[in-house]
Amino acid sequence: GVAQAYALDPSTQAFLKRANPWALRAIAERLLEAAERGLWKAEEATLEALREALLEGEAALEARGEV
């Protein structure tokens, strides 16, 4: 539910990319780390969507000259 509500919801993701891409990147990183450490079992499609959100957050930061 956290992944869907914060990182993968299109309107929330768009807001975070615009207002705070650092937060989008951090959320995606933490969720992916939890899955890698076996603390959270997620479907591969969800993990792939989180990887994409991570890349989009990084792209937003690069566009703003913050990375």
Side-chain angles (χ1 to χ4, degrees), residues 28 32 36 44 46-56:
L32 288 168
E36 288 173 13
E44 186 57 37
T46 300
L47 296 175
E48 186 57 37
L50 286 170
R51 289 182 197 104
E52 183 64 31
L54 177 66
L55 293 175
E56 288 181 20

Side-chain angles (χ1 to χ4, degrees), residues 7 23-33 49-55:
L24 177 59
R25 183 176 163 203
I27 292 166
E29 283 179 333
R30 297 309 170 271
L31 290 169
L32 288 168
E33 179 183 354
L50 286 170
R51 289 182 197 104
E52 183 64 31
L54 177 66
L55 293 175

Side-chain angles (χ1 to χ4, degrees), residues 1-66:
V2 171
Q4 294 301 325
Y6 290 102
L8 303 179
D9 176 72
S11 62
T12 303
Q13 191 178 91
F15 170 76
L16 287 173
K17 276 194 273 189
R18 187 176 61 254
N20 190 349
W22 287 104
L24 177 59
R25 183 176 163 203
I27 292 166
E29 283 179 333
R30 297 309 170 271
L31 290 169
L32 288 168
E33 179 183 354
E36 288 173 13
R37 295 177 64 195
L39 302 172
W40 175 48
K41 302 246 186 231
E43 294 180 9
E44 186 57 37
T46 300
L47 296 175
E48 186 57 37
L50 286 170
R51 289 182 197 104
E52 183 64 31
L54 177 66
L55 293 175
E56 288 181 20
E58 288 178 356
L61 289 168
E62 288 175 8
R64 293 169 64 161
E66 295 185 29

